[in-house]
Amino acid sequence: HYKQIILQISTQIIHFQIFFLPQNLCYSRMVKGAMELWLRAIFTLLIVLITEGHPVDITYLQSAVAKGAVCLDGSPPAYHFDKGFGAGVNNWLIQLEGGAWCNNATTCLERTKTRLGSSKLMLKTVSFSGILSNKAEFNPDFYNWNRIRIKYCDGSSFTGDVAAADPKTKVFYRGARIFSAVMEDFLAKGMKNAQNAILAGCSAGSLAAILHCDRFKGLLPPDAKVKCLSDAGFFINTQTISGTSHIEQFYSEVVNTHGSAKNLPQSCTSRLKPGLCFFPQNVAQQIQTPLFLVNAAYDSWQIKHILAPEVADPHGTWRNCKLDILNCSSTQLQTMQAFRSEFLKALNSLGPSSTRGYYINSCYTHCQTGTQETWLMDDSLVLSGTTIAKAVGDWYYERKRFQEIDCPYPCNKTCF
């Protein structure tokens, strides 16, 4: 099936190169060579993706609808489940998918027309790689676990719970119910006997992994080894390049729209306004379950949407810089170095912990555990000579503590 897809794509690319370009166009050998290199890179990438990933079909949790656990459009929640085998049958790794948030009736209604708001529009099959790989050479510590990716379709990092649908838009805000429903399903499928378990996530799903970390541990046997992994979820409360508190206001709107306050850690909401409890720097210190943070100090999503969102950059002076850090001016790089300082300040505010781990590199990227090239390959990025896969595995199995922060950009050449 995948060989056929590769053949079809490569055939279409060749067709484009030969027939679509104007026949009388005299482009230089340099352009021809660049196009050939580009085509070869695309084809190679396809081969790599097929070789390293494996397809996993979607499961729709129809029974959740009766519990009101539905996507924004009222469709059932969904997940991709690859069963464990061998010594890993009683081990569970659950990854919460990311995809930002919607902060009001309009933006949430817009999401119902996408896979981030409706399971009707989700891909039926996805490729598992990185921390979800079933191959020992690509994922030595977790390859034979039960590995699950929960689809994200609520727009609130699985925290919302408004009793009635919006009467005007017919949108449902039920993220917390989705989390509860899928966990009940997994417990019935064998997670109640878990010996080892990790709640992980990417981006908004990573934030959800932090917010639900202790709750997740409470669902499992008391003698189970349970930990949480946050990948690109340490969003910080900092000002934009124009000096506004854009992300703080945005998170407050998310919490208000979705009715999230009652589902956020009480250790935070008892001290701060609920919107501030969407920031891990205000939550993570009180989490009792061991937590590992994988994050880029120059997280590309945060640079684009927290530091320099479009509303703070009306003339688009940061547009090229946000696309590629190599395009940034010296002034913009200084601003990004200041952002890194704010990020590390927020991280250090958590205080010391013997059970917390962190892998803070200096790459310009977002989400690194679910992609094979950043998780574990011969030429993967490293920090202190260690891949992300090795650092997370050592931390989980308590072979070695890992708490490392990279030097400032551009010192880590393995990022490129």
Side-chain angles (χ1 to χ4, degrees):
H1 173 67
Y2 283 97
K3 289 180 180 178
Q4 291 176 347
I5 292 176
I6 291 176
L7 181 61
Q8 290 172 2
I9 293 175
S10 58
T11 300
Q12 291 300 318
I13 290 174
I14 293 171
H15 182 274
F16 173 86
Q17 184 183 20
I18 295 175
F19 298 106
F20 183 76
L21 290 174
Q23 294 301 307
N24 61 352
L25 179 64
C26 296
Y27 51 103
S28 67
R29 291 182 179 179
M30 182 183 298
V31 174
K32 284 184 177 180
M35 175 169 280
E36 289 174 0
L37 287 174
W38 179 75
L39 294 173
R40 192 175 297 118
I42 293 293
F43 188 75
T44 301
L45 178 60
L46 287 169
I47 293 292
V48 169
L49 289 174
I50 300 309
T51 301
E52 293 165 358
H54 65 285
V56 179
D57 292 334
I58 198 168
T59 297
Y60 299 99
L61 190 57
Q62 299 288 351
S63 61
V65 176
K67 303 173 183 177
V70 293
C71 299
L72 289 167
D73 72 335
S75 58
Y79 56 79
H80 298 268
F81 188 169
D82 198 25
K83 291 185 178 180
F85 55 92
V89 293
N90 287 322
N91 300 335
W92 294 72
L93 192 154
I94 297 176
Q95 183 189 67
L96 302 172
E97 189 179 49
W101 310 267
C102 57
N103 62 324
N104 55 46
T106 301
T107 58
C108 289
L109 178 61
E110 290 173 353
R111 284 172 78 102
T112 64
K113 303 176 181 63
T114 74
R115 63 175 179 80
L116 292 173
S118 173
S119 61
K120 299 175 184 177
L121 302 174
M122 294 174 181
L123 291 174
K124 301 297 187 293
T125 303
V126 300
S127 180
F128 273 17
S129 62
I131 197 172
L132 296 177
S133 174
N134 64 352
K135 297 179 177 64
E137 63 267 36
F138 294 137
N139 189 25
D141 286 308
F142 312 112
Y143 72 97
N144 59 358
W145 287 32
N146 294 284
R147 285 152 292 106
I148 301 165
R149 176 179 291 164
I150 301 176
K151 306 298 287 185
Y152 182 43
C153 64
D154 66 271
S156 71
S157 285
F158 299 91
T159 63
D161 190 1
V162 177
D166 187 309
K168 293 183 179 179
T169 63
K170 309 303 180 186
V171 170
F172 296 83
Y173 302 107
R174 303 282 180 77
R177 295 195 196 187
I178 291 176
F179 183 84
S180 296
V182 294
M183 290 302 158
E184 289 176 11
D185 188 54
F186 301 151
L187 289 168
K189 284 181 165 64
M191 196 171 72
K192 64 182 179 182
N193 300 317
Q195 296 173 347
N196 295 283
I198 295 176
L199 180 65
C202 159
S203 192
S206 177
L207 174 60
I210 294 174
L211 298 176
H212 288 288
C213 186
D214 285 342
R215 186 176 297 126
F216 176 70
K217 179 176 174 56
L219 297 173
L220 301 176
D223 59 344
K225 182 193 290 288
V226 182
K227 299 187 179 185
C228 299
L229 170 63
S230 166
D231 179 9
F234 200 80
F235 301 97
I236 66 169
N237 188 7
T238 191
Q239 293 187 332
T240 68
I241 54 175
S242 63
T244 59
S245 299
H246 172 72
I247 190 62
E248 182 176 326
Q249 179 182 346
F250 181 85
Y251 275 172
S252 179
E253 292 169 357
V254 171
V255 169
N256 290 335
T257 298
H258 291 266
S260 300
K262 57 183 175 292
N263 296 309
L264 298 174
Q266 190 175 4
S267 58
C268 179
T269 56
S270 63
R271 299 179 293 110
L272 301 171
K273 295 185 297 183
L276 294 175
C277 296
F278 242 52
F279 292 102
Q281 65 198 82
N282 296 327
V283 175
Q285 187 176 28
Q286 285 75 42
I287 292 175
Q288 301 300 308
T289 308
L291 173 66
F292 195 100
L293 302 170
V294 175
N295 230 102
Y298 309 90
D299 183 278
S300 57
W301 191 94
Q302 294 196 55
I303 297 297
K304 295 172 183 176
H305 300 283
I306 294 181
L307 178 65
E310 290 184 5
V311 67
D313 183 33
H315 301 295
T317 57
W318 274 73
R319 187 175 296 120
N320 290 334
C321 174
K322 291 190 293 183
L323 288 174
D324 188 340
I325 195 171
L326 296 177
N327 296 331
C328 297
S329 68
S330 58
T331 301
Q332 289 169 331
L333 286 175
Q334 288 178 1
T335 302
M336 291 172 70
Q337 297 293 9
F339 174 88
R340 174 182 181 271
S341 296
E342 287 295 310
F343 180 92
L344 296 182
K345 180 180 178 181
L347 179 68
N348 291 332
S349 71
L350 302 182
S353 171
S354 60
T355 63
R356 190 184 307 127
Y358 45 85
Y359 191 109
I360 311 299
N361 59 35
S362 292
C363 305
Y364 184 65
T365 188
H366 184 67
C367 290
Q368 303 176 78
T369 61
T371 305
Q372 198 61 55
E373 62 179 346
T374 48
W375 173 249
L376 178 61
M377 285 185 69
D378 290 340
D379 58 350
S380 289
L381 62 91
V382 295
L383 176 55
S384 297
T386 306
T387 62
I388 296 175
K390 182 70 164 58
V392 173
D394 284 350
W395 163 79
Y396 181 81
Y397 284 108
E398 297 167 8
R399 297 187 294 249
K400 182 181 179 182
R401 188 171 71 170
F402 197 92
Q403 298 179 336
E404 295 290 337
I405 298 173
D406 211 349
C407 47
Y409 172 87
C411 67
N412 191 337
K413 301 305 179 184
T414 67
C415 289
F416 312 111

